[in-house]
Amino acid sequence: MNTNPVSQQPAMPAPTAQRLQDAMTRLRARLRSESGQNATGLTATQLGVLASVVREGPVTAAGLAAAEHVSAQAIAQSLAVLKAAGLVHSEPDPQDGRKKLISADASAAELVDRLLSGRATFLARAIDQMVAPEERAIVEKAIELLERLAEADLSGGGI
């Protein structure tokens, strides 16, 4: 018998879930625009990979694929673009010469910092202008819920 009170609640209506997805999609697009990401010519996936290399590097392509929850082929495609742009480079792994370690150029760290700062600045300004002081606690709770959703392990498969 399942004693988890959350699972005993009625299912979320599909239109509500769709509204959440649509709102997140619009917000991501707005963040890309406001931060200057669109002007970089890099896709969201490529910038996500770049941010992971900056944060975790030096790292293997397999490590990146696992961190980004994408295939090795998708990582290889993103890395090819990032290498051509001079944002990352690879060198043999001193522990295992068959593997390559991917590292970020200093310009990559600056780019990622600038984009993340631009996103945070936009969100802070938008919250200041659009969310009443008495609603700020609701925003905090929404963040907690979104973080929980992002970590959900439904183990029953995907779609």
Side-chain angles (χ1 to χ4, degrees), residues 36-108:
Q37 177 180 333
N38 292 341
T40 67
L42 299 174
T43 67
T45 300
Q46 292 161 351
L47 285 169
V49 169
L50 182 60
S52 288
V53 173
V54 167
R55 188 176 52 250
E56 306 292 333
V59 63
T60 63
L64 284 171
E68 294 295 315
H69 304 285
V70 298
S71 69
Q73 180 181 4
I75 288 295
Q77 291 171 344
S78 291
L79 288 175
V81 171
L82 297 173
K83 285 179 185 178
L87 295 169
V88 299
H89 59 275
S90 62
E91 54 193 37
D93 183 339
Q95 309 286 321
D96 183 348
R98 298 170 294 173
K99 295 179 182 178
K100 298 276 187 187
L101 292 177
I102 312 299
S103 298
D105 186 76
S107 65

